[in-house]
Amino acid sequence: MAGRKVLIVYAHQEPKSFNGSLKRVAVEELSKQGCSVTVSDLYAMQFEPRATRNDIVGCLHNSEEFDYGMETSEAYKRGGLSSDLIEEQKKVQEADLMIFQFPLYWFSMPAIMKGWMDRVLVQGFAHEFPNCYDSGLLKNKLALFSFTTGGSKEMYAKGSINGDIRYLMWPMQHGIMHFCGVKVLAPHICFAPKYVSEEKRKDMLIAWAQRLKTLWKEEPINCSPEWYFK
């Protein structure tokens, strides 16, 4: 919808990859709708995934014993986070919707994207106990995880060797996004694009474009254990 702002956090090394195509489709379709779309291309940006002392500019709150969570929280309050974090937090703050586009690595997101979560979503900015889950500090935002797998849909079915794909979404959707108050849309999963025909890959891209056309009408999932483990 016109006027909405979208942040796509994208983690793939190869622009010509299927994930790259999914990202391009999202940019094109959402831009056509009049949305303002920003992309954080983590590999192209050479985004630093490690949470270190370098994330704090100036003196530490406690120089005797380094506590990353406490130090970044204090640095956020005084405007003392590193410039790359301030830039990413600004993008998050402005976004109505965040789309996370990535290939599934070891039942999770790539390290560079997990590092984005670790470093950007600091206490005071994204959460501040007891302001978490439904009262998290990013509660007026939506998130959608769009990813590819190496295994087929059958391999991620309930009772299969990998277990239900929803089990894998619990730490990402609930433990990170919902914890920060973000409402979560159902994930968009492209199963094993590497092992299907070119025609099926095109169908996957068309299905993604079609979903994006009506995305703003979707209701968030019920972020409860029942959704993941029923």
Side-chain angles (χ1 to χ4, degrees):
M1 288 173 61
R4 299 283 181 96
K5 293 191 174 181
V6 180
L7 169 62
I8 300 176
V9 183
Y10 166 68
H12 200 287
Q13 308 91 330
E14 175 52 63
K16 294 176 189 170
S17 66
F18 193 74
N19 272 274
S21 296
L22 288 163
K23 185 256 298 176
R24 279 193 299 279
V25 166
V27 172
E28 287 166 13
E29 180 53 44
L30 292 165
S31 298
K32 268 190 225 165
Q33 295 175 22
C35 298
S36 171
V37 184
T38 301
V39 178
S40 284
D41 184 338
L42 300 182
Y43 284 103
M45 293 159 62
Q46 298 188 331
F47 185 82
E48 170 59 74
R50 295 171 299 176
T52 70
R53 163 73 176 86
N54 294 335
D55 293 347
I56 297 105
V57 176
C59 297
L60 293 175
H61 186 71
N62 178 3
S63 57
E64 299 297 311
E65 186 177 342
F66 185 68
D67 179 330
Y68 183 83
M70 187 266 287
E71 291 295 347
T72 49
S73 176
E74 291 297 325
Y76 174 73
K77 287 178 198 166
R78 61 179 169 80
L81 288 173
S82 59
S83 59
D84 60 337
L85 295 193
I86 291 169
E87 181 62 31
E88 293 306 299
Q89 287 177 345
K90 187 180 173 197
K91 294 175 191 176
V92 171
Q93 221 153 23
E94 291 177 350
D96 298 298
L97 166 68
M98 294 176 283
I99 295 176
F100 297 94
Q101 182 65 59
F102 59 98
L104 196 69
Y105 280 8
W106 293 113
F107 281 24
S108 187
M109 62 187 81
I112 198 167
M113 183 174 280
K114 178 57 165 55
W116 185 94
M117 305 281 184
D118 292 347
R119 296 181 63 226
V120 174
L121 303 176
V122 305
Q123 183 178 339
F125 169 70
H127 57 90
E128 182 81 73
F129 191 81
N131 294 318
C132 51
Y133 291 116
D134 289 342
S135 58
L137 303 182
L138 302 180
K139 62 188 173 198
N140 295 320
K141 301 186 184 300
L142 288 169
L144 190 161
F145 286 83
S146 170
F147 61 95
T148 59
T149 68
S152 66
K153 190 171 185 178
E154 292 72 28
M155 290 174 72
Y156 289 100
K158 198 167 186 178
S160 70
I161 191 165
N162 289 336
D164 193 330
I165 192 78
R166 289 190 180 196
Y167 302 160
L168 314 188
M169 303 313 298
W170 173 257
M172 293 186 256
Q173 293 184 159
H174 182 75
I176 302 175
M177 287 294 113
H178 187 203
F179 186 82
C180 296
V182 180
K183 292 182 176 64
V184 181
L185 298 176
H188 195 85
I189 308 165
C190 291
F191 290 97
K194 187 176 177 181
Y195 302 107
V196 300
S197 66
E198 186 61 35
E199 189 179 345
K200 285 206 170 150
R201 280 195 289 275
K202 283 179 183 170
D203 288 343
M204 287 178 178
L205 295 176
I206 290 166
W208 178 222
Q210 285 300 118
R211 182 180 177 189
L212 290 164
K213 288 181 194 301
T214 56
L215 196 68
W216 301 104
K217 295 177 182 174
E218 289 186 20
E219 288 295 319
I221 64 169
N222 170 21
C223 244
S224 65
E226 288 74 29
W227 189 89
Y228 298 91
F229 304 111
K230 66 183 178 183

